[in-house]
Amino acid sequence: MTLQHPADRGGAGRGRFERFAESVSTVTSSPAFFVFCLALVSFTVAVHIARIATEWLLLAGDSMTAVTLLLLALLKNSELRAERAIQRKLDAIAAALLEAQEGEPGKAHETLRDVIRMEEEI
């Protein structure tokens, strides 16, 4: 396990967590997951309105908390990956523009080609 950000590691290989976060991000952005969350919120409200036993209130509250924390972690992971990819692309574009202005294409043009498809790596 590494604490280094995926965008900083380099290379085409993604770890298990990155692949897991990507697939879960796809699921959580679907209409089916929205319906699940809506049902969970409705269940929580219904339990409170109906004044059902305390165990059901705890179950509803704990379920909402767990889903919220998991989504927060996945959202932050997705945000960091996108932010780093965009920054690396902007840096590569700026370096390639400077090289083009100087009239001698070099390493920056190669780097620019590498970062164009960065989302597939990260």
Side-chain angles (χ1 to χ4, degrees), residues 13 17 23 26 28 40 46-47 50 54-55 61 65 77 84 92-93 104 110 117:
F17 180 74
S23 61
T26 302
T28 57
L40 186 59
V47 166
T54 306
E55 293 83 20
T65 302
N77 177 274
R84 298 276 174 91
I93 290 170
E104 51 188 60
E110 294 171 21
R117 298 280 182 207

Side-chain angles (χ1 to χ4, degrees), residues 64-80:
M64 295 268 296
T65 302
V67 168
T68 301
L69 288 174
L70 289 173
L71 286 176
L72 178 65
L74 291 170
L75 178 65
K76 189 62 178 174
N77 177 274
S78 177
E79 175 190 340
L80 282 174

Side-chain angles (χ1 to χ4, degrees), residues 49-62:
I49 290 174
R51 298 188 191 273
I52 299 179
T54 306
E55 293 83 20
W56 286 100
L57 290 171
L58 290 173
L59 175 67
D62 290 349

Side-chain angles (χ1 to χ4, degrees), residues 86-109:
I86 289 170
Q87 187 59 50
R88 286 182 64 187
K89 284 182 179 184
L90 287 173
D91 291 346
I93 290 170
L97 286 173
L98 284 173
E99 277 187 359
Q101 187 177 15
E102 294 171 358
E104 51 188 60
K107 183 172 174 14
H109 286 282

Side-chain angles (χ1 to χ4, degrees), residues 2-23:
T2 180
L3 296 179
Q4 192 176 20
H5 191 273
D8 295 334
R9 279 186 239 147
R14 294 187 317 170
R16 284 184 286 175
F17 180 74
E18 286 85 12
R19 289 191 304 270
F20 173 74
E22 180 82 23
S23 61

